[in-house]
């Protein structure tokens, strides 16, 4: 799948819309000439990654967003503008609180791995209201679309939630209809997924999704029915076990939490594990795609053509808002009873990024590497278009970088 290059008007809005100078527009003109001569850009294009990353932060009021861009692209096309924005923000808001940093153990500084961003239809670091995640250079990108059924997701024991059970006395799993499980009042609802086989990847999409290969999931596992919500994340923050994410307002409690890094997710998983006595983790990339396909082999779980009401993305049908993703569960569930696997927010998975499936494991396990600094994100976001909604789409992101369209869902073994 290929994305069209950005047009002059878009480049002008990216630069001038943020208060850039005429000189910057001149740079934009030159940049457009380069893009125009290139024709269309593949989903896995480094140029598109950078443009998408910039577009996702271009309206941000946080200096840390521009610092993250400079970390990934110290000599990028928007480097001068990013530095200017940082100086302006610090000069006008000297007391502006910094975005909270993840409380993770020190690790070797990651080598600049581009952060995934959405396609030419750029994205904006939005304030959470529902799912969203994008890619940066050399990282995954986001997609979006689909009717949004308004409302808040509720659970059988909602309103009766107390403090999480201590690790020494894990809460007894609450079995619900359809194989649903909830290990504690503040925990995400899980859906049990039976073992099986499927063809992972695609021979007609991005090179990173090749070669298609047969994978056998030999053990049952449980995966989040929805993406982790703002309310669920804040329960961890309230326990001082996770960083408070300023861009996820408490009132958006049923929206998917976003702007979280891979490192952030590890803190949340550690808290859930300690709280419940169950070992929580991110799904492997193979488990994620197996669950997303829901037993189907088509481009989307509902078929080969986009259909209104199944995914939250910018050209997946009304209702849709570019400001933020819809509340979790606002769109139809796939055959396995999982919501928002396509669109909403990009979802972190456990695997280290590999540029293709050559030599990938065929048993569904996590494909990891020592000192991995870039991890896989899947599913696209509400900011991208229908081509990014296909079940095989994959991208990458630096583990330490927070991006406004990136979120996650949890998984655990059924033992």
């Amino acid at each position: 799948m290929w994305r069209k290059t950005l047009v002059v008007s878009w480049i002008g809005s990216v630069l001038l819309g943020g208060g850039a100078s005429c000189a910057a527009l001149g740079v934009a003109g030159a940049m457009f000439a380069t893009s125009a001569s290139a024709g269309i850009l593949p989903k896995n294009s480094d140029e598109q990654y950078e443009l998408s990353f910039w577009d996702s932060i271009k309206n941000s009021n946080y200096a840390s967003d521009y610092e993250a861009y400079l970390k990934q692209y110290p000599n990028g096309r928007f480097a001068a503008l990013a530095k200017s924005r940082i100086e302006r923000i610090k000069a006008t808001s000297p007391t502006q609180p910094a975005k909270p940093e993840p409380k993770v153990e020190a690790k070797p500084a990651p080598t600049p791995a581009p952060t995934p961003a959405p396609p030419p239809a750029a994205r904006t670091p939005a304030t959470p209201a529902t799912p969203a995640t994008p890619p940066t250079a050399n990282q995954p990108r986001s997609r979006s679309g689909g009717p949004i059924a308004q409302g808040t997701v509720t659970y059988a024991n909602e309103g009766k939630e107390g403090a999480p059970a201590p690790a020494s006395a894990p809460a007894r799993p609450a079995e619900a209809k359809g194989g649903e499980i909830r290990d504690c009042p503040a925990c995400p609802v899980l859906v049990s997924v039976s073992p099986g086989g499927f063809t992972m990847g695609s021979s007609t999409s991005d090179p990173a999704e090749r070669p298609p290969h047969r994978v056998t999931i030999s053990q049952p596992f449980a995966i989040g029915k929805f993406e982790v919500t703002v309310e669920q994340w804040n329960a961890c923050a309230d326990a001082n076990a996770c960083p408070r994410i300023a861009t996820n307002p408490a009132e958006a409690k049923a929206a998917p939490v976003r702007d979280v890094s891979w490192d952030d997710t590890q803190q949340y998983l550690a808290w859930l594990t300690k709280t419940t006595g169950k070992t929580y983790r991110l799904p492997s990339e193979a488990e994620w795609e197996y669950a997303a396909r829901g037993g189907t082999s088509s481009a989307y779980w509902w078929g080969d053509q986009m259909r209104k009401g199944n995914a939250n993305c910018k050209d997946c049908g009304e209702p849709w808002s570019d400001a933020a993703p819809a509340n979790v569960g606002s769109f139809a569930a796939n055959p396995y009873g999982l919501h928002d696997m396509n669109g909403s927010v990009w979802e972190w998975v456990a695997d280290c990024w590999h540029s293709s499936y050559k030599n990938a494991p065929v048993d569904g396990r996590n494909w990891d590497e020592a000192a991995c600094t870039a991890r896989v994100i899947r599913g696209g976001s509400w900011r991208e278009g229908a081509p990014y909604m296909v079940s095989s789409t994959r991208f990458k992101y630096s583990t330490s970088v927070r991006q406004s369209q990136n979120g996650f869902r949890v998984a655990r073994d059924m033992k």
Side-chain angles (χ1 to χ4, degrees):
M1 296 186 192
W2 305 85
R3 313 303 305 160
K4 295 181 179 178
T5 50
L6 307 178
V7 296
V8 174
S9 61
W10 181 86
I11 296 174
S13 69
V14 169
L15 294 172
L16 297 183
S21 65
C22 291
L25 183 56
V27 173
M31 182 177 76
F32 172 70
T34 300
S35 295
S37 64
I40 54 177
L41 297 175
K43 283 199 301 187
N44 203 32
S45 161
D46 287 353
E47 180 181 13
Q48 186 185 50
Y49 279 134
E50 182 183 355
L51 292 176
S52 294
F53 187 8
W54 176 260
D55 190 57
S56 72
I57 67 166
K58 64 185 174 68
N59 296 320
S60 175
N61 293 317
Y62 284 100
S64 59
D65 283 337
Y66 301 105
E67 290 167 349
Y69 168 81
L70 290 172
K71 179 180 179 181
Q72 296 297 326
Y73 307 99
N75 300 309
R77 68 192 68 209
F78 302 110
L81 185 54
K83 292 174 183 176
S84 175
R85 292 275 178 85
I86 291 171
E87 292 176 1
R88 185 178 65 189
I89 290 172
K90 291 184 176 179
T92 57
S93 306
T95 59
Q96 181 193 47
K99 291 173 84 172
E101 291 300 320
K103 304 173 184 177
V104 294
E105 296 182 5
K107 58 172 68 177
T111 54
T115 319
R123 43 190 143 176
T124 315
T127 316
T130 7
T133 58
T136 60
N138 303 329
Q139 296 177 321
R141 289 142 280 197
S142 62
R143 346 151 181 197
S144 1
I148 300 173
Q150 301 301 323
T152 300
V153 176
T154 57
Y155 304 112
N157 54 354
E158 202 81 3
K160 304 176 184 177
E161 301 182 356
S168 57
R172 184 177 178 183
E175 294 283 350
K177 324 185 248 187
E180 294 181 5
I181 301 167
R182 198 173 194 181
D183 290 324
C184 74
C187 292
V189 172
L190 305 176
V191 172
S192 58
V193 178
S194 300
F198 75 111
T199 298
M200 183 175 183
S202 170
S203 60
T204 60
S205 188
D206 191 83
E209 299 164 27
R210 305 174 189 168
H213 55 292
R214 191 70 181 171
V215 173
T216 299
I217 307 293
S218 59
Q219 299 294 326
F221 65 97
I223 188 169
K225 180 176 183 178
F226 310 103
E227 292 148 333
V228 172
T229 66
V230 170
E231 182 176 40
Q232 289 162 353
W233 179 272
N234 285 344
C236 179
D238 290 343
N240 296 317
C242 291
R244 184 90 49 192
I245 307 297
T247 49
N248 285 266
E251 58 269 23
K253 62 181 183 179
V257 66
R258 54 200 179 94
D259 213 7
V260 292
S261 69
W262 191 90
D263 291 335
D264 290 334
T265 70
Q266 301 308 296
Q267 296 180 72
Y268 181 78
L269 296 167
W271 175 73
L272 275 185
T273 296
K274 182 177 180 180
T275 298
T276 65
K278 304 286 185 180
T279 303
Y280 276 80
R281 56 181 175 80
L282 291 175
S284 70
E285 186 174 12
E287 288 175 331
W288 189 96
E289 187 169 328
Y290 177 65
R293 289 183 177 279
T296 69
S297 58
S298 48
Y300 314 102
W301 60 258
W302 57 87
D304 289 320
Q305 302 297 322
M306 178 50 63
R307 186 187 304 162
K308 180 179 178 180
N310 293 319
N312 183 16
C313 81
K314 75 179 183 67
D315 54 14
C316 294
E318 295 297 331
W320 174 77
S321 169
D322 65 349
N327 286 343
V328 299
S330 294
F331 295 81
N334 76 3
Y336 287 172
L338 306 173
H339 293 262
D340 308 314
M341 298 293 284
N342 310 75
S344 184
V345 293
W346 285 97
E347 299 180 18
W348 288 108
V349 295
D351 301 45
C352 189
W353 171 259
H354 295 82
S355 59
S356 78
Y357 286 133
K358 184 178 180 180
N359 300 320
V362 295
D363 58 0
R365 72 178 186 279
N366 166 22
W367 192 9
D368 210 348
E369 284 184 7
C372 179
T373 59
R375 299 281 173 174
V376 179
I377 56 173
R378 299 293 304 253
S381 84
W382 88 103
R383 296 284 299 177
E384 278 81 58
Y388 283 78
M389 298 301 104
V390 298
S391 300
S392 61
T393 294
R394 60 193 298 262
F395 291 109
K396 66 183 174 184
Y397 231 106
S398 293
T399 58
S400 62
V401 175
R402 291 175 179 165
Q403 215 282 347
S404 64
Q405 288 168 252
N406 294 351
F408 69 110
R409 74 180 68 217
V410 302
R412 73 165 175 80
D413 295 333
M414 291 291 293
K415 296 179 180 178

